[in-house]
Amino acid sequence: MPSSIVVPKKLTTVEQYKAFLDQYDTFLLDCDGVLWHGSHVLEGILETVHFLRKNGKKLVFVTNNSTLSRANYVKKFQKLGIEATEKDIFSSAFATAVYLRNILDFPKDKRVYVIGESGIVDELKDVGIESTGASDDNGVIMTHADFGSIEQDPTIGAVVCGFDLNLNYRKLAKAFTYLNNKEQNAHFILTNDDTTFPAPNGIYPGTGSLAQPLITALNRNPLVMGKPNKPMLDCFFANYHTDPSRTCMVGDRLDTDIDFGVNGNIATLMVLTGVSTEAEAMDPKQPIKPTYIMQSFGDFAKVENA
Ligand SMILES: O=C(O)[C@H](O)[C@H](O)COP(=O)(O)O
């Protein structure tokens, strides 16, 4: 059906919330912009998570944020008051590690150069892949005399770029050097390509924006793992055999979360606590249409008190 004909249904009343919830057993939940901003849990989220689980709903957390391993995400969830186990969490770092190991059959004698944080390093280690870079190059200030210190490294079989609060020129120069060596033929992979992400006081450049200097310098498009791309979807459906007709993706971004659900042929609910706006979703020219829209996922807590 042409996207201009699909009109998202806005949920605003407790009766509509209840009727919506009765249709689904499994909810795939984005994290940044749905559950929290950074480490600030949004209003009503804890009550909603408790209420849905008490009513037998399955919650699966699907995040493009590659900064933490699933083990460390479990600790973050617990610290924020949300019970979770590693098998409930699908992060772009996990999808990247699984893809390198299982799909690319990454050679045992090769390593990965990482622009990113511990989530990528830890998930790669979990599947037996050695990495270098990441925090090793944090705070390393280059001078114009340092260019000679950047050498080729034939052990690098892939460069993986994720969100990195400590991105610097040295990391970009090393990644470029490895990827620009045609004989080496190293894979160029992004954990995700979110252009921005929501924080408590606004939105900030995301992984897709941080990787742009490499994409421009190399004139090469990377392989992207996270939502809405197929590797993350394959990762989810390989681990969960849910009934697609009773599964709903909940997210705040049209171009990642909602598109991910559309690609997976499941219903989608867009919340207005993150990046995308209602006007963007309702625009007839918008090709990606959520099934439903509501203000906040935390509003479902009102059903319990109704
Ligand atoms: O990597 C980034 O740009 C952000 O961390 C990412 O956008 C957040 O991922 P989400 O939980 O919204 O999927």
Side-chain angles (χ1 to χ4, degrees):
M1 181 185 290
S3 66
S4 55
I5 297 176
V6 174
V7 179
K9 179 173 173 45
K10 180 88 183 275
L11 306 176
T12 54
T13 67
V14 171
E15 292 69 29
Q16 287 173 330
Y17 299 161
K18 191 177 180 328
F20 166 83
L21 292 174
D22 288 346
Q23 296 179 84
Y24 304 105
D25 305 322
T26 303
F27 294 94
L28 277 60
L29 299 180
D30 172 40
C31 299
D32 289 350
V34 173
L35 304 179
W36 56 58
H37 290 156
S39 292
H40 169 73
V41 180
L42 301 183
E43 187 182 347
I45 291 298
L46 298 183
E47 297 82 352
T48 291
V49 167
H50 176 76
F51 168 62
L52 293 181
R53 282 173 164 165
K54 193 171 74 174
N55 285 273
K57 307 296 185 184
K58 181 76 187 158
L59 307 183
V60 181
F61 305 103
V62 185
T63 179
N64 275 359
N65 188 318
S66 61
T67 59
L68 297 176
S69 64
R70 287 162 298 148
N72 282 332
Y73 255 116
V74 167
K75 291 176 189 158
K76 173 170 183 175
F77 274 102
Q78 286 171 344
K79 198 169 151 202
L80 297 177
I82 303 173
E83 277 309 310
T85 64
E86 284 189 36
K87 71 175 181 55
D88 300 330
I89 298 168
F90 285 82
S91 74
S92 58
F94 174 54
T96 301
V98 167
Y99 191 85
L100 277 162
R101 170 55 58 236
N102 297 349
I103 308 297
L104 295 183
D105 191 17
F106 196 70
K108 294 270 188 287
D109 61 345
K110 294 291 185 181
R111 303 188 296 170
V112 173
Y113 181 74
V114 173
I115 291 180
E117 302 188 9
S118 63
I120 302 172
V121 176
D122 294 348
E123 293 290 0
L124 288 173
K125 200 179 298 174
D126 236 18
V127 295
I129 296 179
E130 195 187 332
S131 63
T132 182
S135 58
D136 301 345
D137 288 324
N138 284 0
V140 180
I141 306 298
M142 267 186 80
T143 66
H144 290 277
D146 290 338
F147 282 97
S149 69
I150 295 177
E151 295 166 352
Q152 288 296 346
D153 181 342
T155 70
I156 301 299
V159 170
V160 169
C161 185
F163 187 79
D164 189 337
L165 275 179
N166 293 282
L167 180 64
N168 58 41
Y169 188 86
R170 181 173 181 77
K171 294 183 180 183
L172 291 173
K174 288 174 81 170
F176 177 84
T177 299
Y178 305 141
L179 291 168
N180 199 38
N181 178 338
K182 301 291 180 276
E183 291 75 55
Q184 195 156 335
N185 197 26
H187 298 283
F188 180 23
I189 297 173
L190 296 196
T191 58
N192 61 299
D193 58 1
D194 296 59
T195 51
T196 59
F197 71 97
N201 62 343
I203 62 172
Y204 292 88
T207 303
S209 301
L210 303 186
Q212 199 51 51
L214 276 178
I215 295 167
T216 303
L218 291 159
N219 188 28
R220 175 178 172 186
N221 288 322
L223 186 62
V224 184
M225 295 290 116
K227 299 171 288 185
N229 301 285
K230 197 168 178 310
M232 183 77 113
L233 203 60
D234 293 346
C235 199
F236 171 73
F237 283 114
N239 287 273
Y240 271 86
H241 308 290
T242 63
D243 175 355
S245 69
R246 302 251 337 145
T247 303
C248 183
M249 173 73 206
V250 183
D252 68 291
R253 288 191 68 120
L254 286 162
D255 61 345
T256 56
D257 309 317
I258 304 307
D259 202 17
F260 179 75
V262 170
N263 294 342
N265 295 312
I266 58 177
T268 55
L269 166 64
M270 188 181 108
V271 295
L272 303 175
T273 46
V275 173
S276 296
T277 66
E278 183 174 354
E280 287 165 342
M282 301 306 273
D283 183 341
K285 294 191 294 297
Q286 168 56 250
I288 304 165
K289 286 280 195 263
T291 320
Y292 301 96
I293 296 176
M294 74 187 287
Q295 182 56 38
S296 169
F297 191 67
D299 290 343
F300 283 128
K302 297 170 184 170
V303 177
E304 183 165 39
N305 308 325

